[in-house]
């Protein structure tokens, strides 16, 4: 009698997996028995990978700058070296930047675009083609409800998320007759390192209570596993997203100004 083979585990790729939502997404993958390729632009990705390995899965960790074509190519080479198809891509890496657009260092503003838009789209183009070739795969793009709102004092960030929200729905439609699904996770403000890194700690949005990244990640994980088109995490964010569709853009921009302008931090 032939020995039975152990079932082959699925492979997930998670970007921005060193902290925050990406870390929680990768942890959920590990808890559900998925092997991992995780990437981030900081050495903490290796510490995170060790945690994921304790859950009994294989993990390849890549410290790489996903704002660059070369960085995405390096991640893709690591994926190819596994010799396995990507079953789920969590395109989660992102960065923000506060203050008025004309007061920002343009190199930092461009890095937001290169990380959130160019690097994300380039990685999806490469991995998505492979998925389409085998007619199987799932993609979760981390967008944001910020994409519904003209982001005064976060203008480039909100615009980049509007791009991703729109892109996710378009790509999903293009792939609707294939075995590849695309889902979009649209969280609101979440308790991560994002606000410190984006220089927003002197603002209302940077200092108020935020959503739990573990809960946000669970909403996104469930959405992609169920093949949902999108999920807005949290009932307050669902309400805000709904109201954004019927509120004039000028009013939305003024409201955002009150949350994100420097010096609006609440005193506790």
């Amino acid at each position: 009698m032939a020995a039975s083979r152990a079932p082959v585990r699925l492979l997930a790729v998670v970007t921005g997996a060193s902290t925050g939502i990406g870390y929680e997404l990768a942890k959920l993958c590990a808890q559900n028995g998925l092997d991992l390729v995780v990437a981030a632009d900081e050495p903490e990705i290796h510490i995170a990978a060790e945690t994921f390995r304790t859950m009994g899965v294989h993990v390849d960790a890549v410290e790489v700058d996903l704002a660059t074509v070369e960085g995405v190519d390096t991640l893709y080479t690591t994926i190819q070296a596994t010799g396995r198809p990507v079953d789920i891509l969590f395109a989660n890496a992102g960065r923000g930047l506060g203050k008025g657009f004309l007061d920002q260092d343009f190199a930092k503003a461009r890095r937001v675009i290169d990380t959130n838009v160019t690097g994300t789209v380039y990685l999806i183009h490469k991995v998505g083609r492979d998925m389409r070739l085998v007619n199987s795969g799932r993609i979760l793009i981390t967008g944001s409800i910020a994409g519904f709102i003209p982001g005064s004092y976060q203008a480039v960030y909100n615009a980049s998320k509007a791009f991703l929200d729109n892109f996710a729905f378009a790509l999903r439609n293009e792939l609707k007759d294939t075995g590849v699904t695309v889902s979009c996770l649209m969280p609101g403000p979440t308790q991560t390192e994002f606000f410190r890194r984006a220089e927003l700690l002197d603002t209302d949005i940077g200092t108020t209570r935020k959503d739990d990244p573990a809960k946000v990640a669970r909403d996104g994980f469930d959405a992609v596993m169920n093949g949902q088109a999108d999920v807005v995490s949290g009932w307050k964010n669902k309400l805000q997203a709904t109201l954004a569709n019927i509120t004039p853009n000028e009013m939305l921009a003024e409201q955002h100004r009150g949350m994100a302008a420097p010096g609006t931090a609440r005193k506790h």
Side-chain angles (χ1 to χ4, degrees), residues 17-18 23 42-54 61:
S18 55
Y23 176 90
E42 56 186 2
E44 285 79 4
I45 190 63
H46 300 290
I47 299 171
E50 284 301 322
T51 299
F52 306 145
R53 291 185 185 110
T54 65

Side-chain angles (χ1 to χ4, degrees), residues 70-87:
E70 295 78 14
V72 175
D73 284 339
T74 298
L75 172 57
Y76 185 66
T77 297
T78 302
I79 295 169
Q80 287 185 307
T82 67
R84 300 165 60 182
V86 176
D87 296 288

Side-chain angles (χ1 to χ4, degrees), residues 7-149:
V8 177
R9 287 198 293 255
L10 300 179
L11 177 65
V13 175
V14 187
T15 64
S18 55
T19 60
I21 296 170
Y23 176 90
E24 297 296 340
L25 284 168
K27 187 164 75 171
L28 283 168
C29 289
Q31 289 171 342
N32 283 273
L34 280 74
D35 288 336
L36 286 163
V37 176
V38 293
D41 63 355
E42 56 186 2
E44 285 79 4
I45 190 63
H46 300 290
I47 299 171
E50 284 301 322
T51 299
F52 306 145
R53 291 185 185 110
T54 65
M55 301 174 192
V57 299
H58 181 83
V59 184
D60 290 304
V62 189
E63 183 183 344
V64 66
D65 185 357
L66 296 173
T68 67
V69 168
E70 295 78 14
V72 175
D73 284 339
T74 298
L75 172 57
Y76 185 66
T77 297
T78 302
I79 295 169
Q80 287 185 307
T82 67
R84 300 165 60 182
V86 176
D87 296 288
I88 313 174
L89 169 62
F90 294 88
N92 171 78
R95 71 177 60 244
L97 186 62
K99 300 183 171 56
F101 173 65
L102 297 183
D103 298 319
Q104 292 172 344
D105 178 334
F106 185 73
K108 291 183 178 180
R110 176 170 177 174
R111 190 165 174 79
V112 172
I113 298 168
D114 288 343
T115 303
N116 297 4
V117 178
T118 308
T120 298
V121 170
Y122 182 43
L123 178 62
I124 291 171
H125 192 260
K126 296 177 82 68
V127 175
R129 280 186 162 188
D130 293 341
M131 289 179 170
R132 186 178 63 176
L133 191 63
V134 298
N135 200 38
S136 178
R138 301 175 187 271
I139 299 171
L140 180 73
I141 298 172
T142 300
S144 174
I145 65 165
F148 300 130
I149 305 167

